[in-house]
């Protein structure tokens, strides 16, 4: 059963999912700290290159099935034009100012 984006517990994660699904690069980038990092399937990736390829140029979309760790860990069906749909896990580090400094994703 999908969790509606507006019902996600953590405000930063909720905004992250909303920005991905709206394909709003400016909103997405405003959620990240200036030195934000990310990893995909356990490997550190170039953030700007990854989000362009996996989210914005390929119409990424998240349907969240489950959340844990106060809303900072998600199990979601992620789809884009490149890979189709896959079950993915996401984990977020949110700083005191409410911005995301690191996120990790990978196949679930």
């Amino acid at each position: 059963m999908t969790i509606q984006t507006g019902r996600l517990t953590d405000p930063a994660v909720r905004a992250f999912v909303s920005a991905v699904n709206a394909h709003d690069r400016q909103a997405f980038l405003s959620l990240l700290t200036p030195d934000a990092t990310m990893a995909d399937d356990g490997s550190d990736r170039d953030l700007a290159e990854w989000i362009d390829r996996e989210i914005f140029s390929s119409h990424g979309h998240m349907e969240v099935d489950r959340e844990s760790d106060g809303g900072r860990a998600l199990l979601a069906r992620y789809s884009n034009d490149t890979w189709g749909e896959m079950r993915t896990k996401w984990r977020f580090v949110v700083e005191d100012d409410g911005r995301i400094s690191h996120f990790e994703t990978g196949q679930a």
Side-chain angles (χ1 to χ4, degrees):
M1 186 163 119
T2 302
I3 300 172
Q4 292 178 346
T5 302
R7 294 182 178 265
L8 293 172
T9 304
D10 187 277
V13 173
R14 183 170 56 240
F16 180 100
V17 174
S18 293
V20 168
N21 289 347
H23 307 116
D24 188 337
R25 183 189 303 262
Q26 187 171 345
F28 182 92
L29 293 173
S30 74
L31 300 168
L32 304 178
T33 62
D35 59 347
T37 58
M38 65 87 50
D40 185 0
D41 283 327
S43 299
D44 290 339
R45 305 296 171 106
D46 178 283
L47 178 71
E49 180 185 296
W50 190 91
I51 65 171
D52 184 59
R53 184 180 69 246
E54 299 292 338
I55 298 174
F56 296 108
S57 69
S58 61
H59 307 101
H61 188 82
M62 296 175 76
E63 293 286 339
V64 178
D65 292 325
R66 207 163 54 230
E67 64 175 355
S68 57
D69 191 25
R72 294 187 178 175
L74 305 178
L75 185 62
R77 283 169 286 128
Y78 187 79
S79 60
N80 65 26
D81 293 346
T82 305
W83 306 108
E85 184 177 295
M86 65 192 99
R87 290 182 55 77
T88 56
K89 58 187 181 225
W90 298 76
R91 182 165 290 280
F92 300 87
V93 177
V94 180
E95 298 303 318
D96 292 341
D97 68 359
R99 292 191 296 170
I100 297 167
S101 60
H102 182 76
F103 68 92
E104 296 179 22
T105 186
Q107 292 199 49

